Amino acid sequence: MELPAELKERLAELRGELLWGRLSGTVLDAGWLACELIEAGLDTPAVWELAGQVLSIGPMTEVEPLVRQVMAEGGFPAIDLQRTAWAVVRDIAAGVADGTLPIGAGSDFLISELRDECDDPEEIFWLMMLIDDWEAVCETPPTDDELREQAGKIADVARDRLGAKADQER
């Protein structure tokens, strides 16, 4: 099932908020999002349960487990930060590359939270250069496609590192 671009963007934004632990919005917002997901064809018990919250009040954090389940069912699972740094890097970079995570939220997390934990890989450095130093290097800011391409390179490096580690453990 293919969700409309606007719904994909909203789910990606929520995924970015969950990554940073800053889920915003209200239960009402979550309920209306669920209604729109149903209308778009995402028909699961969790979506219907969340849609039932459309008349509730309170912060979205009150229904966070349900929001996480609905997001996973829609193809936007929250990223588990309790794994090895390279596994987290892989998932964040892949999310940025495929558009299931906003470029800003994912890139910022890679640069500020994970770069040092992964021994400062060159690919994350180049992403940082694209974002921070484009004025010194280029005449125009990087495009979303350029940023997503660099994120894809980071995801590839993370997969390679995880594969090498798995080989060593055998």
Side-chain angles (χ1 to χ4, degrees):
M1 176 204 53
E2 184 68 23
L3 293 173
E6 187 268 331
L7 283 176
K8 286 181 182 179
E9 186 176 318
R10 287 172 57 196
L11 289 171
E13 289 294 329
L14 275 175
R15 192 176 190 211
E17 289 179 11
L18 286 170
L19 176 64
W20 283 98
R22 302 181 201 138
L23 192 59
S24 65
T26 65
V27 175
L28 174 66
D29 297 331
W32 280 113
L33 174 60
C35 290
E36 291 176 49
L37 289 168
I38 292 167
E39 185 177 325
L42 186 60
D43 186 4
T44 68
V47 176
W48 280 97
E49 185 178 345
L50 188 57
Q53 302 293 322
V54 77
L55 298 177
S56 300
I57 58 171
M60 195 178 298
T61 53
E62 289 181 7
V63 291
E64 183 174 332
L66 195 52
V67 168
R68 286 175 178 271
Q69 185 176 349
V70 167
M71 290 177 58
E73 292 170 352
F76 293 76
I79 295 170
D80 179 3
L81 301 176
Q82 303 305 312
R83 295 167 301 136
T84 66
W86 279 111
V88 177
V89 165
R90 177 199 58 214
D91 291 352
I92 291 174
V96 170
D98 69 17
T100 60
L101 193 61
I103 293 171
S107 297
D108 288 349
F109 205 90
L110 288 169
I111 292 166
S112 65
E113 302 294 320
L114 294 170
R115 186 182 59 175
D116 292 339
E117 286 190 46
C118 296
D119 299 323
D120 199 14
E122 179 180 335
E123 291 76 12
I124 293 178
F125 170 78
W126 286 113
L127 177 66
M128 185 174 69
M129 292 295 290
L130 277 173
I131 294 170
D132 293 341
D133 293 337
W134 64 267
E135 290 176 327
V137 179
C138 305
E139 292 183 18
T140 60
T143 65
D144 286 357
D145 287 342
E146 290 172 312
L147 294 167
R148 290 187 196 289
E149 180 182 340
Q150 187 62 36
K153 291 176 185 177
I154 295 167
D156 290 342
V157 166
R159 283 185 201 95
D160 291 346
R161 297 279 175 98
L162 289 167
K165 183 178 177 185
D167 288 344
Q168 288 175 352
E169 292 174 357
R170 286 185 216 167

